[in-house]
Amino acid sequence: MISCRNLYKSFSDKTVLSGINFSIEDGEIFGLLGPSGAGKTTLINIITGQLPFDKGYVCVLDKNVKELTGEDSKKIGIMMDSFGVYERFSCADNLKIFADIYGVSHDRIIQTLEAVGLKDAAGKPASDLSKGMRARLQLARVFMHSPKIIFLDEPTSGLDPQTMKQIHHLILDKKKEGCTIFLTTHNMEEATALCDKVALLNEGVIVECGAPKEVVRKYNHQKKIKLHLVTGEDVELPHDEGSAERIFSLMIEKKVETIHSSEPDLETVFLELTGRKLEEA
């Protein structure tokens, strides 16, 4: 559905994307992880045809991005910052504007608001919405015309954990419907929970790419098994066959309270590769 090959983009003398390569299959959730300023939003703008690039090749919907038509654009949904929210309009009137743009029946408006949990807020002005409700209104705008590809730029930034989970459920529901989703985030837990594939972007360069579990296993240098016993003692054993008998014995004696393997998380992998944390500005 989406692919980039040897993509470069500069602003004046500053290179913001350098040799970007990745592909996204139909129905995948692809996560682009990186701190603020890494080039995530620039990449979305290029893939969606909003920004020209210097060199390389970008394919969307099996077409060169430069050849996308207006009809092709109707198959794409984009959620970025506060884009598409009109403060003085009600939730329903916000969606009416985009229904008319995309040629969608107004009957879809209440259905879509209900799908994102905003049916009771249909008449409420956008200016009166909480941050979480605003995020759901933006998703409603994106979902209303049933796009094949959805771009979500930091969709849960600044939201409380409960609202974040609600947004995650909405995203996963769209995947079940067959949507391909391009997600940017600096939240490694979000990426691990949602994404089939992730790319770690640092200063315009993809430093690692793959399924989240495969990426963290690749950088599991310690290969240890950590046990916390009911006595309060912590035991660390090598991740090999030789430890199996000791672990089995402790389990039979009901001495094990928790057991974990030592593979890192995406945050730790990113730190190892770049010397930076994903949350860094």
Side-chain angles (χ1 to χ4, degrees):
M1 291 295 278
I2 302 172
S3 65
C4 290
R5 295 287 176 265
N6 203 33
L7 176 65
Y8 285 81
K9 175 63 181 176
S10 299
F11 293 106
S12 298
D13 59 348
K14 179 178 174 57
T15 300
V16 293
L17 294 172
S18 180
I20 300 297
N21 288 283
F22 67 85
S23 62
I24 306 172
E25 301 301 322
D26 188 10
E28 277 190 335
I29 299 181
F30 176 86
L32 185 66
L33 281 67
S36 298
K40 302 190 299 295
T41 303
T42 298
L43 184 53
I44 282 185
N45 287 335
I46 288 173
I47 295 171
T48 54
Q50 301 176 75
L51 189 67
F53 52 95
D54 304 329
K55 186 170 65 173
Y57 178 75
V58 179
C59 174
V60 181
L61 294 166
D62 293 326
K63 285 187 176 181
N64 186 324
V65 70
K66 297 178 181 178
E67 298 173 354
L68 291 180
T69 65
E71 286 303 309
D72 293 324
S73 296
K74 289 182 179 181
K75 299 174 184 176
I76 297 171
I78 309 172
M79 174 183 173
M80 302 179 73
D81 298 326
S82 296
F83 174 74
V85 175
Y86 296 93
E87 299 293 329
R88 291 199 270 177
F89 288 4
S90 69
C91 292
D93 286 339
N94 263 279
L95 295 194
K96 282 179 184 177
I97 294 172
F98 291 93
D100 291 341
I101 290 172
Y102 286 104
V104 174
S105 169
H106 286 189
D107 293 340
R108 285 274 298 158
I109 292 172
I110 296 301
Q111 295 173 15
T112 306
L113 288 173
E114 183 174 16
V116 299
L118 288 179
K119 182 179 179 181
D120 292 340
K124 180 179 285 191
S127 58
D128 293 345
L129 300 178
S130 66
K131 191 165 186 176
M133 294 173 74
R134 178 183 294 267
R136 282 184 277 153
L137 177 60
Q138 289 178 274
L139 285 174
R141 179 185 59 76
V142 173
F143 295 165
M144 189 173 54
H145 65 288
S146 302
K148 288 188 175 181
I149 302 176
I150 297 173
F151 291 86
L152 304 175
D153 193 12
E154 303 279 0
T156 61
S157 179
L159 299 182
D160 63 86
Q162 182 177 356
T163 305
M164 188 181 299
K165 286 182 180 179
Q166 292 171 348
I167 300 297
H168 288 178
H169 285 308
L170 292 172
I171 293 170
L172 290 172
D173 285 344
K174 281 298 162 184
K175 179 188 175 178
K176 290 177 183 176
E177 293 174 14
C179 289
T180 302
I181 299 169
F182 187 111
L183 170 75
T184 72
T185 182
H186 61 257
N187 185 324
M188 63 89 185
E189 292 180 1
E190 178 169 76
T192 302
L194 296 178
C195 298
D196 301 295
K197 188 189 301 178
V198 295
L200 308 184
L201 184 70
N202 182 56
E203 296 181 349
V205 177
I206 291 179
V207 295
E208 188 57 84
C209 187
K213 290 182 179 179
E214 292 175 0
V215 171
V216 297
R217 281 199 296 265
K218 180 178 177 180
Y219 291 89
N220 184 13
H221 307 305
Q222 291 184 334
K223 295 187 177 178
K224 300 284 187 181
I225 298 175
K226 298 177 180 180
L227 298 90
H228 182 74
L229 306 184
V230 293
T231 59
E233 181 186 358
D234 290 313
V235 177
E236 190 171 272
L237 301 171
H239 199 304
D240 58 29
E241 293 181 2
S243 298
E245 187 174 339
R246 175 80 189 280
I247 294 171
F248 179 74
S249 176
L250 290 169
M251 294 287 284
I252 289 294
E253 296 171 10
K254 298 182 179 180
K255 291 183 177 180
V256 178
E257 186 170 310
T258 63
I259 181 169
H260 300 283
S261 56
S262 63
E263 68 263 11
D265 55 26
L266 291 172
E267 178 76 46
T268 306
V269 172
F270 192 87
L271 182 62
E272 176 179 337
L273 290 172
T274 68
R276 306 174 66 190
K277 292 184 178 181
L278 284 169
E279 289 88 354
E280 285 183 8

